[in-house]
Amino acid sequence: MGFLLTFAFFFFFFSLFLREMLISVALGQVLSLLICGIGLTSKYLSEDFHANTPVFQSFLNYILLFLVYTTTLAVRQGEENLLAILRRRWWKYMILGLIDLEANYLVVKAYQYTTLTSIQLLDCFVIPVVILLSWFFLLIRYKAVHFIGIVVCILGMGCMVGADVLVGRHQGAGENKLVGDLLVLGGATLYGISNVWEEYIIRTLSRVEFLGMIGLFGAFFSGIQLAIMEHKELLKVPWDWQIGLLYVGFSACMFGLYSFMPVVIKKTSATSVNLSLLTADLYSLFCGLFLFHYKFSGLYLLSFFTILIGLVLYSSTSTYIAQDPRVYKQFRNPSGPVVDLPTTAQVEPSVTYTSLGQETEEEPHVRVA
């Protein structure tokens, strides 16, 4: 009887853990599907209608974020009000807004100079950037299984690129490959900074504050960049209802991505999210098999399942954060007077962040990776 109870106990918790892990992986795939929608609408706009307007497309997204989240902050009271936030942290969000805008712009611009293969490979540079920034600034600690999962995901991405080469998939112009490669690396670095900063804000402040301030400063700076760089391109767009629908579809997918990504990052982490997004190109490819008559290779399926295996490995074990709570003091909304912690005693970690969420422990203790 005792054996059966023990077995039932372990089976229950294993089932609960497996369920949470699968939910974590599935949430990341929702983000990949949204990026797939962004890629498909952008492809139709640029190739079928010759509408090369990446800044205008970003501008539409930032306007939506402004209308929904910035106005929400504007009607709040107290310390979470828009003006109160701007008084304390306006310059930080201004920098973050510029980083987010230019990350999108650099990667889209790279398609004019380098090949699709180079972009797919070099865009993976965002993963080591996120890992390093998470290690040094968020103080997240990884275990061996996390690095194994990351390597497996990148191997799956390499398998997809190899399949592209074998089937002769369109690789792009590649007119000035070095410039294009540098643009991708620059965009990937800015994406990494933006993602880690986003995780920092949503864990210490709120998702609405992050999205509201990104909407405010993103709309402001993209509007300026649009007026300077793309006003002539907008005049060349052959406006009709089809193009209008494509812009609406792009904006809806982008708004959904920005709104949902903080939820997934808080549930998992910035590293886990970026690993999940490696499957976005594969979803676009599978859609392209029907829409653009791409050639199929079994390596694409192998690549897809390899990345999923890497995601499961990464999500199977918790990471943790070992820190002094004062690390977040400067960016927190204080509800009362801030009390300095004593500097004589070392503060041990009291919060464990996992790939499945976070749990607060009653008694602090040290966990070794």
Side-chain angles (χ1 to χ4, degrees):
M1 186 66 180
F3 172 77
L4 291 177
L5 288 175
T6 303
F7 176 79
F9 176 80
F10 280 108
F11 179 78
F12 171 76
F13 280 98
F14 176 76
S15 300
L16 183 63
F17 170 78
L18 183 63
R19 176 177 173 272
E20 289 295 317
M21 183 180 67
L22 293 178
I23 289 175
S24 173
V25 174
L27 289 174
Q29 296 313 293
V30 172
L31 296 178
S32 283
L33 288 171
L34 288 170
I35 290 183
C36 172
I38 292 168
L40 289 176
T41 51
S42 296
K43 181 178 177 63
Y44 275 116
L45 283 169
S46 61
E47 295 190 3
D48 291 7
F49 297 96
H50 306 288
N52 297 310
T53 57
V55 179
F56 176 65
Q57 290 166 227
S58 294
F59 177 72
L60 293 176
N61 172 57
Y62 290 127
I63 287 295
L64 286 176
L65 292 175
F66 177 87
L67 292 174
V68 174
Y69 296 105
T70 310
T71 53
T72 300
L73 291 177
V75 299
R76 283 183 171 180
Q77 302 296 322
E79 294 296 325
E80 295 184 347
N81 178 263
L82 176 63
L83 294 178
I85 294 170
L86 285 174
R87 280 196 299 268
R88 292 193 303 272
R89 294 185 285 274
W90 66 270
W91 64 273
K92 297 178 182 179
Y93 284 117
M94 181 182 71
I95 296 172
L96 181 57
L98 275 172
I99 289 173
D100 189 76
L101 171 64
E102 297 310 320
N104 291 322
Y105 178 76
L106 289 178
V107 174
V108 173
K109 191 71 175 176
Y111 281 91
Q112 299 178 17
Y113 298 100
T114 190
T115 63
L116 177 63
T117 300
S118 293
I119 292 174
Q120 290 171 333
L121 285 174
L122 294 175
D123 201 36
C124 294
F125 185 67
V126 68
I127 295 173
V129 171
V130 168
I131 291 173
L132 288 174
L133 292 177
S134 297
W135 183 282
F136 288 108
F137 292 99
L138 300 184
L139 302 181
I140 292 177
R141 297 298 179 254
Y142 303 92
K143 300 179 182 178
V145 68
H146 297 121
F147 292 109
I148 293 173
I150 291 167
V151 170
V152 171
C153 286
I154 294 177
L155 286 175
M157 191 66 185
C159 184
M160 186 196 74
V161 172
D164 283 344
V165 174
L166 289 177
V167 301
R169 188 180 169 197
H170 177 63
Q171 297 296 303
E175 295 176 354
N176 197 334
K177 197 169 183 299
L178 178 60
V179 172
D181 291 349
L182 291 176
L183 288 175
V184 178
L185 289 174
T189 302
L190 294 180
Y191 270 132
I193 295 171
S194 176
N195 289 163
V196 172
W197 204 337
E198 178 178 356
E199 179 175 357
Y200 177 76
I201 293 172
I202 63 176
R203 290 197 186 280
T204 58
L205 298 171
S206 74
R207 164 180 170 268
V208 175
E209 177 173 329
F210 169 77
L211 293 173
M213 302 309 289
I214 282 289
L216 175 63
F217 288 103
F220 176 74
F221 288 118
S222 62
I224 294 175
Q225 191 167 342
L226 173 64
I228 296 173
M229 302 178 63
E230 275 190 8
H231 64 280
K232 293 181 180 179
E233 288 293 333
L234 279 177
L235 296 176
K236 296 178 184 178
V237 175
W239 294 97
D240 60 21
W241 67 271
Q242 290 178 306
I243 290 182
L245 281 179
L246 287 172
Y247 276 117
V248 169
F250 175 90
S251 301
C253 290
M254 186 69 90
F255 179 77
L257 177 69
Y258 270 71
S259 298
F260 191 50
M261 183 176 282
V263 177
V264 183
I265 286 180
K266 191 168 185 178
K267 178 76 174 175
T268 58
S269 67
T271 305
S272 178
V273 164
N274 280 281
L275 291 174
S276 298
L277 296 183
L278 293 178
T279 58
D281 285 332
L282 286 162
Y283 289 126
S284 298
L285 171 72
F286 294 147
C287 292
L289 294 173
F290 301 98
L291 298 175
F292 309 117
H293 307 292
Y294 289 159
K295 293 182 180 179
F296 178 75
S297 170
L299 286 176
Y300 289 129
L301 288 178
L302 177 62
S303 173
F304 180 74
F305 287 111
T306 301
I307 293 174
L308 288 184
I309 290 171
L311 288 172
V312 170
L313 283 173
Y314 183 90
S315 302
S316 64
T317 304
S318 65
T319 59
Y320 70 92
I321 181 168
Q323 63 170 26
D324 184 327
R326 289 172 297 175
V327 170
Y328 290 151
K329 186 173 69 175
Q330 292 184 349
F331 219 93
R332 182 180 294 130
N333 274 329
S335 56
V338 178
V339 180
D340 287 333
L341 295 174
T343 57
T344 55
Q346 183 178 359
V347 182
E348 302 294 348
S350 60
V351 178
T352 300
Y353 289 128
T354 74
S355 54
L356 307 176
Q358 69 179 36
E359 58 178 276
T360 303
E361 300 169 359
E362 301 244 344
E363 293 294 328
H365 62 276
V366 179
R367 298 185 62 177
V368 181

